[in-house]
Amino acid sequence: MGTPIKDVVISDSAPKSLLLDKHADYIAAYGSKKDDYEYIMTEFLRMSGMYWGLTAMDLMSQLERMNKDEVIEFIQQCQHECGGFGASIGHDPHLLYTLSAVQILTLYDSQQSVNIDKIVEYITSLQQDDGSFYGDKWGEVDTRFSFCAVACLALINQLDTINVDKAVQFVLSCMNFDGGFGCRPGSESHSGQIYCCVGMLAIVGRLHLINTDMLGWWLCERQLPSGGLNGRPEKLPDVCYSWWVLSSLKIIGKLHWINKDKLVKFILACQDDETGGFADRPGDMVDPFHTLFGLAGLSLLGDESIKQVNPVFCMPEEVIRRAGIKMDLL
C-alpha cells in the first residue's frame, strides 16, 4: 500500500460563500488593537503585515477605512540613511520590507513622500557579481530577493539601474529539471520561489526562457483531493499557495489547468465565519497574511466581488495600470 496523501477534510459546516464585510471588519480592527499580544509579537513583520492588510482592504474596495497619514508617517520613520526600510521603526533595513514599503506607497500614490533616489542606491548596492541580490548587508542570497529588487525598481520606474541580464542569468541558474525554481542553484523547487522567479522574469520580459508546459504540470500537481494547493510534494494544502501557485499559472497562461471549483470551495472553507479573516487551513486561526492571499486567489479565480488582482505584484490591477508598469504575461 502507498503512503496516504497528506490532506485535510472539509467539514459540511464550513463557509461556502465569501464573507467580504467580515473580512474588511477583521482587517480594520487588527491594525487598531496595538496592545494585543498578537500585534505586539509580530512587530518584526510589521511592514509586510501592513502591506498584507492594506492590499486586502484595497481589493475589497475598503482602503479608505485605514488611516493613510498614519501609515505614510510610519513608513517614513522606517527608511534608513542607506535608503532601505526596516520591518518597524528601529529595525534593520531589508529588501523584503523595502518592497512592502514601496508597494504600500504605490497603493496610496505617495511614492514622493520618501527618498526614492536612496531606495535605488540601496537596491543597486545589494546586487552581486553573479547577478543575485543580498537581502541585506549580512549577505543571504535567495531568489525572493531577486524578485523584491526587480519588483521594487519596476514600481519606482528605475529598472535600468541594475544589471538585468545578470539578474536573469542568476534566476535561470536556479531552474530545476522539473521546470520549477529553488531559492539558490541546486535547491528544490518550491511554489513560493517559483512565483518569485516567474514574476521577476515577467517584469523584465523574459518569460520565453521558461519551459511553461513542464512548470505548469508541476504547479498543477500541487492540487490535492480537497481542492487546496500545497507548496511542494507531500505537504498539506495552505491558502497562501492559492496565491503562489495560481499567480504563477496565471502568468504562464495555464490557470485553466487546475480544478477551479474545488479550489474555490477550499479557500472559502478557510474563512472564520465569526471573526472574519482567512486561516491557512479550515478551522485554524486567521491572520492578515492568509486573508490577503485567500482574497487574491479568489480574485484570480474570477470572483467579481473582489477587485482584479495583478498576478505579478499582488496589488489591484488598477493600481499597476495607474503606475504605468508594463510586464510580460503569456
Side-chain angles (χ1 to χ4, degrees):
M1 288 179 64
T3 308
I5 295 172
K6 292 178 179 170
D7 201 1
V8 298
V9 176
I10 297 176
S11 162
D12 289 340
S13 62
K16 295 176 178 62
S17 60
L18 181 58
L19 311 170
L20 216 53
D21 290 342
K22 287 197 173 186
H23 300 321
D25 290 345
Y26 164 71
I27 295 289
Y30 188 89
S32 65
K33 297 176 182 173
K34 294 184 171 55
D35 294 329
D36 273 16
Y37 176 80
E38 185 183 355
Y39 187 88
I40 293 165
M41 290 305 291
T42 54
E43 186 186 14
F44 70 100
L45 287 171
R46 183 72 67 241
M47 188 68 77
S48 293
M50 289 175 70
Y51 155 70
W52 300 328
L54 293 168
T55 305
M57 290 299 271
D58 202 355
L59 287 172
M60 293 185 285
S61 303
Q62 299 273 341
L63 186 59
E64 74 283 348
R65 290 177 63 177
M66 311 307 271
N67 188 325
K68 175 182 175 179
D69 292 340
E70 188 180 302
V71 168
I72 290 173
E73 184 184 349
F74 173 80
I75 291 173
Q76 289 171 329
Q77 291 178 292
C78 291
Q79 188 171 26
H80 287 252
E81 273 298 307
C82 65
F85 293 80
S88 192
I89 299 165
H91 287 232
D92 287 347
H94 196 288
L95 264 180
L96 290 171
Y97 307 117
T98 301
L99 175 58
S100 293
V102 170
Q103 286 174 303
I104 295 167
L105 293 170
T106 306
L107 284 180
Y108 279 123
D109 200 13
S110 298
Q111 292 180 359
Q112 71 286 351
S113 62
V114 297
N115 190 328
I116 295 291
D117 291 340
K118 279 289 187 181
I119 296 176
V120 175
E121 271 182 42
Y122 177 67
I123 295 172
T124 55
S125 75
L126 293 171
Q127 188 171 28
Q128 304 306 302
D129 290 342
D130 65 354
S132 66
F133 285 85
Y134 287 170
D136 59 15
K137 65 181 182 181
W138 303 111
E140 182 187 4
V141 170
D142 190 309
T143 46
R144 287 179 304 155
F145 310 148
S146 296
F147 173 76
C148 289
V150 166
C152 207
L153 291 172
L155 288 170
I156 57 176
N157 195 28
Q158 297 284 346
L159 254 183
D160 58 352
T161 57
I162 56 163
N163 189 324
V164 171
D165 289 340
K166 278 197 166 183
V168 168
Q169 285 170 16
F170 174 74
V171 165
L172 292 176
S173 75
C174 300
M175 190 191 297
N176 292 320
F177 68 93
D178 54 17
F181 294 83
C183 58
R184 286 180 291 278
S187 298
E188 72 169 315
S189 296
H190 186 282
S191 301
Q193 306 295 150
I194 288 169
Y195 159 77
C196 290
C197 294
V198 170
M200 181 271 194
L201 293 171
I203 294 169
V204 299
R206 307 289 177 88
L207 283 179
H208 60 280
L209 300 171
I210 297 174
N211 184 333
T212 54
D213 284 350
M214 192 185 293
L215 177 57
W217 179 253
W218 190 93
L219 289 166
C220 291
E221 286 198 317
R222 305 281 59 78
Q223 189 163 34
L224 296 164
S226 65
L229 300 165
N230 63 17
R232 52 200 165 105
E234 301 300 316
K235 296 294 182 180
L236 286 168
D238 185 322
V239 154
C240 71
Y241 294 114
S242 304
W243 173 255
W244 313 120
V245 174
L246 273 191
S247 58
S248 301
L249 286 169
K250 175 73 172 178
I251 292 167
I252 64 172
K254 309 289 186 191
L255 191 59
H256 57 289
W257 282 15
I258 57 123
N259 187 316
K260 171 186 169 181
D261 294 339
K262 288 183 77 172
L263 179 53
V264 168
K265 181 182 176 184
F266 173 81
I267 296 173
L268 293 176
C270 294
Q271 300 174 102
D272 188 314
D273 54 11
E274 291 183 22
T275 66
F278 288 77
D280 57 351
R281 285 177 278 281
D284 286 356
M285 283 285 290
V286 300
D287 60 68
F289 173 85
H290 289 95
T291 300
L292 169 60
F293 295 126
L295 291 167
L298 290 170
S299 174
L300 285 178
L301 292 166
D303 191 315
E304 294 184 354
S305 63
I306 306 165
K307 286 184 185 178
Q308 188 180 356
V309 71
N310 180 276
V312 174
F313 290 93
C314 196
M315 296 164 68
E317 190 68 67
E318 65 188 26
V319 173
I320 299 302
R321 283 201 208 102
R322 185 180 70 210
I325 299 163
K326 304 262 190 305
M327 70 209 73
D328 184 13
L329 300 181
L330 298 180

